[in-house]
């Protein structure tokens, strides 16, 4: 927590924009972080993103017409994970992305490339499968849209809950070519993980800083306490 995941994602995002590798970008995050993402991307990278939610959709359709699809209106969008997983909203997103029922001709996709360029998922641990055959609405939604994006970045301070099956399920959402959900991760999986994971610890930041921003973690010290007879 507090080690700059938003800035790291923004650095990758800006580099890809400068190389003209990406244009259409979606940031998926908890609802309470939408404005923070919008503010940080504008302040630190001079990038304007539109927040799409029920209120902004209502205002957009009031201005441009009732049939306006907000997912087609802007190239850079921030939305909440719980808004996008709503059935009608998800259907509009799929239609705007060329993945709806109108996007197939004789069973074949009409688009040869991914309709979106980059997906950034913040607090991605919320999408981790809970083991077995159970999958939350968030997980199902991300499984449905992940192939619409050429590139994917997942950010989280707590990606592992102690269950390997949940962690590998999350990795499969990120890159289904390299990873499959399993109860154990073999040596090959661990090697592939090292290729796609960037991990930062507070100790790493302190070692690279002239004035370490985080307190040193000292081992616990025993404090003997004598209780009175009344206590």
């Amino acid at each position: 927590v507090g080690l700059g995941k938003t800035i790291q994602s923004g650095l990758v995002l800006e580099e890809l924009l400068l190389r003209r590798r990406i244009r259409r970008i979606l940031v998926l995050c908890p609802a309470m972080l939408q404005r923070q993402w919008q503010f940080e991307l504008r302040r630190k990278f001079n990038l304007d993103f539109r927040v799409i939610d029920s209120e902004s959709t209502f205002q957009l359709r009031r201005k441009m017409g009732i049939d306006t699809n907000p997912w087609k209106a802007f190239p850079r969008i921030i939305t909440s994970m719980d808004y996008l997983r709503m059935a009608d909203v998800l259907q509009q997103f799929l239609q705007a992305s060329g993945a709806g029922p109108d996007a197939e001709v004789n069973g074949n996709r009409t688009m040869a490339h991914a309709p979106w360029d980059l997906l950034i998922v913040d607090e991605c641990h919320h999408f981790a499968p809970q083991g077995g055959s159970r999958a939350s609405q968030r997980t199902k939604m991300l499984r449905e849209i992940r192939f619409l994006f050429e590139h994917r970045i997942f950010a989280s301070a707590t990606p592992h809950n102690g269950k390997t099956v949940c962690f590998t399920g999350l990795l499969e959402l990120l890159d289904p070519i390299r990873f499959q959900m399993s109860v154990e991760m073999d040596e090959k999986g661990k090697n592939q993980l090292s290729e796609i994971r960037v991990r930062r610890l507070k100790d790493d930041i302190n070692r690279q800083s002239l004035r370490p921003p985080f307190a040193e973690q000292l081992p616990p010290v025993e404090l003997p306490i004598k209780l009175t007879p009344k206590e």
Side-chain angles (χ1 to χ4, degrees):
V1 176
L3 298 188
K5 295 181 295 298
T6 304
I7 295 176
Q8 289 184 60
S9 300
L11 288 170
V12 175
L13 161 62
E14 186 175 46
E15 181 69 18
L16 290 173
L17 283 171
L18 290 171
R19 295 186 185 190
R20 300 182 183 275
R21 294 279 301 276
I22 61 175
R23 189 182 75 86
R24 297 189 72 193
I25 305 150
L26 178 69
V27 176
L28 198 57
C29 63
M32 67 172 116
L33 298 179
Q34 292 178 110
R35 304 298 171 183
Q36 178 181 328
W37 267 92
Q38 186 182 42
F39 174 75
E40 293 290 332
L41 289 170
R42 180 179 295 142
R43 186 168 73 96
K44 292 187 170 69
F45 300 98
N46 197 31
L47 295 172
D48 285 324
F49 278 72
R50 293 295 295 260
V51 173
I52 298 298
D53 54 17
S54 56
E55 177 61 25
S56 64
T57 299
F58 173 77
Q59 295 297 336
L60 182 67
R61 288 175 174 167
R62 187 178 181 181
K63 181 179 179 181
M64 301 182 64
I66 192 67
D67 294 327
T68 303
N69 190 320
W71 309 106
K72 285 184 176 180
F74 310 104
R76 299 197 288 258
I77 291 175
I78 299 171
T79 194
S80 81
M81 55 184 68
D82 288 325
Y83 179 69
L84 187 56
R85 72 179 172 86
M86 297 169 61
D88 57 334
V89 176
L90 180 58
Q91 189 59 39
Q92 291 170 2
F93 178 82
L94 293 173
Q95 289 175 353
S97 305
D102 299 333
E104 294 187 3
V105 178
N106 298 325
N108 296 320
R109 296 289 180 187
T110 58
M111 299 184 69
H113 56 84
W116 290 80
D117 299 308
L118 175 64
L119 172 66
I120 297 176
V121 182
D122 193 21
E123 305 292 344
C124 65
H125 54 274
H126 291 300
F127 294 92
Q130 296 307 304
S133 59
R134 292 184 300 156
S136 67
Q137 287 182 318
R138 291 171 178 170
T139 305
K140 291 176 181 177
M141 177 266 288
L142 191 53
R143 282 176 178 165
E144 193 163 356
I145 71 170
R146 57 182 169 168
F147 292 114
L148 300 174
F149 298 85
E150 186 73 22
H151 309 284
R152 296 183 285 274
I153 297 174
F154 284 12
S156 173
T158 53
H160 205 307
N161 64 359
K163 299 179 181 177
T164 302
V165 66
C166 301
F167 183 58
T168 54
L170 183 62
L171 293 174
E172 184 180 0
L173 290 172
L174 174 67
D175 188 342
I177 304 301
R178 281 189 173 99
F179 304 100
Q180 285 78 42
M181 187 166 65
S182 61
V183 294
E184 292 185 9
M185 181 175 281
D186 57 18
E187 201 62 35
K188 179 182 177 182
K190 293 178 181 178
N191 291 335
Q192 289 176 328
L193 176 61
S194 65
E195 296 175 1
I196 59 99
R197 180 184 64 183
V198 176
R199 189 183 186 196
R200 292 286 178 265
L201 302 174
K202 290 181 179 179
D203 288 343
D204 299 332
I205 304 298
N206 282 345
R207 282 196 296 269
Q208 299 293 330
S209 304
L210 294 176
R211 299 178 62 184
F214 299 105
E216 184 181 356
Q217 300 295 309
L218 300 176
V221 177
E222 180 182 356
L223 298 176
I225 298 176
K226 293 183 178 180
L227 302 179
T228 65
K230 187 175 181 180
E231 290 172 321

